Amino acid sequence: ECPTAAPATEFQVRLAVPSGFTDWSNWLRWQGGFGQKAKMETEEVEFTVSFRGMPVALTLKREPGRRRVVIFAPFWFVDTTGLNARLYVGGRQAVLFSWEGNTICLLPPIIKPGAGSCQVELALEGHPPVMTKVPPLGSPEAVLLPPNRAAVLRTERISAAEIFGVHHCRLVSLLPRYVLFNRTRSSTLAFWQDGCSGSAEELAAGQNAMFFFEPCAQERLVFAPKEGPGRPLLGVADGRAAASPSFELADHTIGVYPIATRCGPLCLQISREGAMLTATVDSQGC
């Protein structure tokens, strides 16, 4: 909290995190005074702190006429795929924080809000990194991570305006390229990759899951309903005979398809959301 009236004030910032503290920032200078006639030199100051040798971009903001000062990170990164992808900038891993069960990266100052050409690297453990770029708002970027893990990078605006008055933070998310939805009333569905011997992805009614294709065959999906929890697929001895026709998740297959099964008619809908492709199966009919 800043004084109500004072000459020009200099101070430093240090960021406390679960694993330690950042180095001190450079001295920041504010014009003194918070009265009606007093005015700061600027409402926002961008600065950098160093954490374990990696720079972190932060911004300090104060609204005119208020004593509250807010320090925030303008750019974050989070992996929602469960692949535990790591983000690197200039060959160095971005700073990681654990927050409410999620691992979040705070990005360095070379990434600016609204910029879409910044090159970063993404890597899964035990595999080489892949070079990609931070996409601008509204233009998600498809990325293929070894070994054959299709994902999407998306930048969106997040706001803490109601609490902190901050409007222009950006969240860069790693999302799955393919997502499956079971919207049937009571059927458990099993999805698997056509031509692969791997295990099936089972979804109870109302559930959804991401799907990653294996490089063992063509990228086509098959599904079949089950009689109930723990039961085999309907009328199937080996669990894979009486199934839907195989289908591809792609732009040219977007549409609605009626599927006849032994538990009644189902409807398969293939659609796109940004750069993500989804397959939804429901029992309401097409």
Side-chain angles (χ1 to χ4, degrees):
E1 186 171 291
C2 295
T4 56
T9 303
E10 290 188 341
F11 56 91
Q12 288 183 311
V13 175
R14 203 179 191 191
L15 186 64
V17 296
S19 55
F21 288 87
T22 63
D23 297 335
W24 291 104
S25 68
N26 294 328
W27 282 100
L28 304 176
R29 184 177 178 84
W30 293 89
Q31 186 68 31
F34 280 74
Q36 291 184 353
K37 296 183 179 181
K39 188 176 181 180
M40 295 188 303
E41 295 175 353
T42 178
E43 293 184 356
E44 293 190 4
V45 171
E46 296 179 354
F47 64 100
T48 302
V49 295
S50 177
F51 181 68
R52 294 181 177 175
M54 187 66 183
V56 177
L58 297 176
T59 301
L60 192 147
K61 173 184 173 66
R62 186 191 75 85
E63 298 176 5
R66 303 191 68 171
R67 298 177 62 180
R68 183 182 64 191
V69 172
V70 179
I71 298 174
F72 63 93
F75 242 103
W76 308 352
F77 168 78
V78 62
D79 175 14
T80 68
T81 66
L83 296 174
N84 294 321
R86 295 292 181 256
L87 185 140
Y88 297 82
V89 180
R92 294 188 295 178
Q93 184 174 337
V95 175
L96 296 175
F97 296 89
S98 294
W99 178 70
E100 293 189 356
N102 297 312
T103 299
I104 297 176
C105 290
L106 299 184
L107 302 185
I110 62 170
I111 300 177
K112 298 294 184 181
S117 59
C118 175
Q119 297 293 316
V120 296
E121 293 176 301
L122 289 170
L124 304 183
E125 186 175 357
H127 298 279
V130 172
M131 183 72 72
T132 185
K133 66 179 181 180
V134 176
L137 290 169
S139 300
E141 182 85 4
V143 58
L144 184 64
L145 301 175
N148 209 59
R149 296 293 181 258
V152 174
L153 267 183
R154 182 181 69 188
T155 301
E156 56 191 319
R157 182 182 290 109
I158 57 176
S159 175
E162 294 181 0
I163 304 175
F164 299 113
V166 175
H167 297 270
H168 54 264
C169 291
R170 301 292 190 270
L171 175 65
V172 182
S173 301
L174 185 67
L175 308 167
R177 171 76 164 159
Y178 305 109
V179 182
L180 311 176
F181 294 89
N182 180 354
R183 292 294 179 260
T184 63
R185 294 178 178 176
S186 58
S187 299
T188 296
L189 300 177
F191 292 83
W192 64 90
Q193 186 175 350
D194 190 23
C196 278
S197 58
S199 60
E201 180 74 45
E202 293 190 7
L203 295 180
Q207 287 187 337
N208 58 273
M210 62 191 77
F211 192 89
F212 297 103
F213 287 99
E214 298 297 335
C216 58
Q218 57 186 345
E219 295 187 349
R220 298 181 68 88
L221 276 172
V222 180
F223 74 89
K226 300 183 70 174
E227 291 180 324
R231 302 290 297 277
L233 300 180
L234 281 175
V236 183
D238 62 359
R240 300 207 172 183
S244 72
S246 68
F247 58 93
E248 185 180 0
L249 291 176
D251 285 337
H252 66 270
T253 62
I254 289 176
V256 178
Y257 305 90
I259 305 291
T261 70
R262 296 187 183 185
C263 67
L266 296 177
C267 184
L268 168 66
Q269 179 177 354
I270 299 174
S271 57
R272 167 186 281 273
E273 181 183 344
M276 291 191 298
L277 290 161
T278 65
T280 303
V281 180
D282 67 46
S283 52
Q284 302 300 314
C286 294

